[in-house]
Amino acid sequence: MDQNNRKLKLSKRWIIFLYLYYFIIFLTGFLASVFAICPRLLGSKQFDIFETALIGAIGMALNGSSIFYTRKLYKSTISGRLLVSEERADFIERLGKGTYFFARPLFAMGFAVLIVVGLQSGFIVSLTDKTTLDEGFVYLVMFLSFFVGFLSGRFIKYLEKKGSSFVGTIVQMKEGESDN
């Protein structure tokens, strides 16, 4: 079946909940992002660059995810692809669709942490001198995290594809080491 013609079934409560949820996720992400860019605005203690990058990356991932999935939700509503269903027989399908929409910002937060840790470890491994991170690191991880949050569905597919080959390589290395 063509993905653009597929109908989504959610209860009226799920639809209202998801719109409110995405609004709250967006505001939370926005505040975290502003805080990471201008930490003195809130008058709190200074965080180090890594902590600031983590806060900013999670904030931007939440922004990207909430924008993408709010758009997906309202486009489905406008186009008539989102059907309101309160039937008991549709409960499992509605639960699955609701979980799909609910979980994506949570996945985006995890991916943002992965971006921060991945870039940090890349710097540590590739540089011979001990380098201190600066604000550029914060901006880089925030920029990348927005796109990882916005495209979290595609990032999941990418991780599935690359992750299985990566894990396979590690397992083969471990098996080869035990033979010596």
Side-chain angles (χ1 to χ4, degrees):
M1 175 186 271
D2 181 20
Q3 196 161 1
N4 291 331
N5 292 327
R6 197 173 351 167
K7 303 284 185 183
L8 301 172
K9 293 179 184 176
L10 288 172
S11 69
K12 185 177 175 182
R13 286 184 193 177
W14 257 115
I15 295 168
I16 293 168
F17 168 77
L18 287 171
Y19 278 119
L20 291 172
Y21 173 69
Y22 287 136
F23 179 72
I24 291 167
I25 291 289
F26 181 80
L27 285 178
T28 303
F30 178 76
L31 290 174
S33 301
V34 169
F35 174 76
I37 294 169
C38 306
R40 290 182 293 272
L41 279 179
L42 300 178
S44 65
K45 78 171 190 116
Q46 289 293 94
F47 290 100
D48 68 22
I49 291 296
F50 186 79
E51 293 166 336
T52 304
L54 194 57
I55 292 167
I58 289 171
M60 289 301 280
L62 290 174
N63 284 339
S65 184
S66 65
I67 290 168
F68 183 86
Y69 288 101
T70 298
R71 180 178 172 267
K72 187 174 186 96
L73 193 60
Y74 75 67
K75 280 181 73 175
S76 296
T77 305
I78 292 169
S79 70
R81 287 188 357 193
L82 182 62
L83 305 174
V84 176
S85 175
E86 303 291 342
E87 295 179 31
R88 276 191 99 86
D90 293 332
F91 174 74
I92 298 299
E93 182 181 350
R94 287 183 291 136
L95 180 63
K97 300 294 183 185
T99 302
Y100 165 86
F101 280 106
F102 181 80
R104 289 304 170 100
L106 304 177
F107 292 168
M109 287 178 12
F111 299 152
V113 172
L114 182 63
I115 291 289
V116 173
V117 171
L119 284 175
Q120 169 103 18
S121 64
F123 288 140
I124 291 170
V125 169
S126 65
L127 300 173
T128 56
D129 296 333
K130 181 160 173 61
T131 304
T132 57
L133 299 174
D134 62 11
E135 291 170 351
F137 179 72
V138 174
Y139 300 139
L140 176 62
V141 297
M142 288 177 71
F143 180 77
L144 294 174
S145 293
F146 176 86
F147 289 104
V148 167
F150 190 82
L151 299 169
S152 61
R154 290 185 186 165
F155 195 69
I156 290 170
K157 290 177 186 173
Y158 175 80
L159 285 176
E160 287 175 346
K161 182 179 173 185
K162 295 293 182 183
S164 59
S165 65
F166 177 71
V167 170
T169 302
I170 291 175
V171 169
Q172 288 175 354
M173 286 176 24
K174 292 286 184 192
E175 289 172 355
E177 289 173 2
S178 65
D179 292 339
N180 292 337

